[in-house]
Amino acid sequence: MTTSQPDPSQPSGPTGEHATPDALLHARSDAEVSPEDVVLASGKDLTPGNLEWARRKLDAEGPAALDKLLP
């Protein structure tokens, strides 16, 4: 009895595609990160309180605040 081996020249996975490495999934540009960006990335509504929270978060963490919220 022989066992079939996957053909390395063919894509793998149920959809025929390879998984994308995490390092390639982060797509933040070099543009400045705004408080609005942080609020929206967190899934919150754009309210004055949430914008103030985002400003404090940006002051403390810089642009990395947005990276921490995104997958």
Side-chain angles (χ1 to χ4, degrees), residues 28-48:
R28 185 173 61 88
S29 68
D30 291 333
E32 186 174 327
V33 177
S34 70
E36 290 85 356
D37 294 332
V38 174
V39 170
L40 293 174
S42 71
K44 298 178 181 183
D45 292 328
L46 288 172
T47 65

Side-chain angles (χ1 to χ4, degrees), residues 35-66:
E36 290 85 356
D37 294 332
V38 174
V39 170
L40 293 174
S42 71
K44 298 178 181 183
D45 292 328
L46 288 172
T47 65
N50 289 340
L51 288 170
E52 183 56 35
W53 164 81
R55 282 186 197 93
R56 289 192 310 268
K57 190 165 183 66
L58 281 171
D59 287 344
E61 301 175 22
L66 185 61

Side-chain angles (χ1 to χ4, degrees), residues 6-7 10-19:
D7 182 354
Q10 296 296 316
S12 63
T15 61
E17 298 178 6
H18 293 282

